[in-house]
């Protein structure tokens, strides 16, 4: 069935063309945002698209560190956020000063940082990673000592998968922590045939119950290829919209209805239109920080 385009959607489309802009949306964004986006994706995909597009303006519908990453990769483009207050609490759990102190304690360590960090923290890293490639990035490191920040649960998962000991930080995603093992077991009782997928930011006890541990876009790929007709989804609930849209013959159940990231829900179509009208709020990283942070992101993009 063809979707009817609203007046607001038409105005966004016209203005986007006039501004030579593209709209990038993270997979957790509201359905109305995903509907007007040129691309929906996970952190890795969105950074890649940002680095390759020839658009003059990128309207970033996600959280602040994602827009900063786009600014680091394309300083000649205008990166705007429809709601500048959409931050990631996990990214705020470590500062550049915290990381410098940790590095002083382990001067020989290689420093790996999850993309969910501020640009200042990225400037202190040796290499960046996302949930798609964290295991691969760490497995390729030869050095014995490895610092991994800020997510302690992602660090735990990567450590188990690679067999390497990681020096981790006490960071976590408050949204993924809302999913508890009992939620999965309960859903499994109602849907015994369903497969379980979980994001690596989840608690280790949740991950232990999953058939596959995946980033959000890898979850989309998994849903398309699996033989299962029912899937229990252990991540932020916003992903369910895309999963259902792409797989009309399958059923998706959120592991927990409480796994909602409030920051991801701050953006709507009105705010996108205003952002395009006024070309703000702009996210720009200072040149000194940008150059340092870019090295860590480039290293990641080169090895995967
Ligand atoms: P993905 O890169 O898997 O989309 O994850 C980003 C994120 O913030 C998860 O909470
Ligand atoms: Fe940050 Fe968690 Fe929200 Fe992702 S879901 S943006 S990690 S708070």
């Amino acid at each position: 069935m063809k979707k009817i385009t609203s007046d607001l959607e038409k105005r966004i489309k016209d203005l986007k063309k006039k501004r030579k802009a593209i709209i990038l949306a993270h997979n957790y964004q509201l359905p109305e945002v995903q509907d007007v986006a040129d691309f929906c994706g996970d952190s890795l995909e969105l950074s890649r698209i940002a680095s390759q597009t020839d658009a003059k303006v990128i309207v970033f519908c996600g959280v602040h560190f994602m827009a900063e990453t786009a600014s680091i990769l394309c300083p000649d483009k205008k990166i705007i956020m429809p709601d500048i207050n959409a931050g990631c609490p996990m990214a705020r759990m470590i500062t550049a000063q915290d990381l410098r102190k940790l590095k002083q304690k382990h001067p020989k360590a290689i420093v790996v940082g999850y993309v969910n960090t501020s640009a200042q923290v990225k400037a202190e890293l040796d290499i960046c990673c996302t949930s798609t490639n964290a295991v691969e990035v760490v497995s390729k490191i030869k050095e014995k000592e490895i610092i991994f920040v800020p997510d302690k649960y992602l660090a735990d998962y990567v450590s188990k998968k690679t067999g390497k000991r990681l020096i981790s930080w006490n960071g976590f995603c408050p949204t993924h922590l809302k999913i508890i093992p009992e939620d999965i077991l309960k859903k499994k009782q109602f849907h015994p045939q369903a497969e379980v997928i979980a994001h690596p930011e989840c608690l280790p006890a949740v991950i232990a119950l999953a058939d596959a541990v995946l980033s959000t876009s890898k979850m989309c790929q998994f849903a398309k290829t699996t033989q299962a007709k029912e899937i229990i989804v252990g991540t932020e609930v916003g992903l369910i919209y895309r999963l259902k849209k792409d797989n009309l013959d399958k059923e998706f159940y959120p592991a927990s209805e409480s796994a909602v990231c409030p920051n991801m829900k701050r953006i709507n179509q009105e705010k996108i239109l205003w952002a395009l009208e006024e070309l703000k709020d702009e996210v720009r990283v200072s040149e000194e920080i940008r150059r340092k942070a870019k090295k860590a992101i480039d290293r990641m993009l080169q090895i995967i």
Side-chain angles (χ1 to χ4, degrees), residues 61-75:
C61 304
V63 287
H64 196 263
F65 76 80
M66 296 179 178
E68 265 190 347
T69 307
S71 165
I72 292 165
L73 291 170
C74 11

Side-chain angles (χ1 to χ4, degrees), residues 123-146:
E124 297 289 331
L125 304 176
D126 292 308
I127 185 160
C128 191
C129 72
T130 72
S131 52
T132 308
N133 57 34
V135 171
E136 216 175 333
V137 165
V138 169
S139 67
K140 289 202 170 133
I141 294 174
K142 302 268 181 299
E143 284 78 356
K144 262 195 135 76
E145 262 193 306
I146 307 172

Side-chain angles (χ1 to χ4, degrees), residues 28 63 88-90 116 173-176 201 261 264:
Y28 296 156
V63 287
C88 167
M90 185 207 285
N116 297 38
C173 163
T175 297
H176 282 85
E201 288 174 15
C261 175
M264 284 283 184

Side-chain angles (χ1 to χ4, degrees), residues 251-300:
E251 294 294 334
F252 297 93
Y253 314 111
S256 165
E257 284 76 8
S258 335
V260 179
C261 175
N263 286 286
M264 284 283 184
K265 310 301 181 208
R266 294 182 79 107
I267 297 168
N268 58 24
Q269 288 191 351
E270 279 86 356
K271 289 185 185 175
I272 294 176
L273 183 67
W274 297 332
L276 279 165
E277 274 170 356
E278 296 178 20
L279 287 182
K280 59 185 198 191
D281 287 325
E282 188 173 3
V283 175
R284 189 167 281 282
V285 175
S286 79
E287 191 50 26
E288 193 197 340
I289 295 290
R290 191 191 77 77
R291 264 190 293 110
K292 289 185 194 161
K294 187 167 182 295
K295 280 189 193 155
I297 300 172
D298 283 345
R299 274 189 209 117
M300 166 185 83

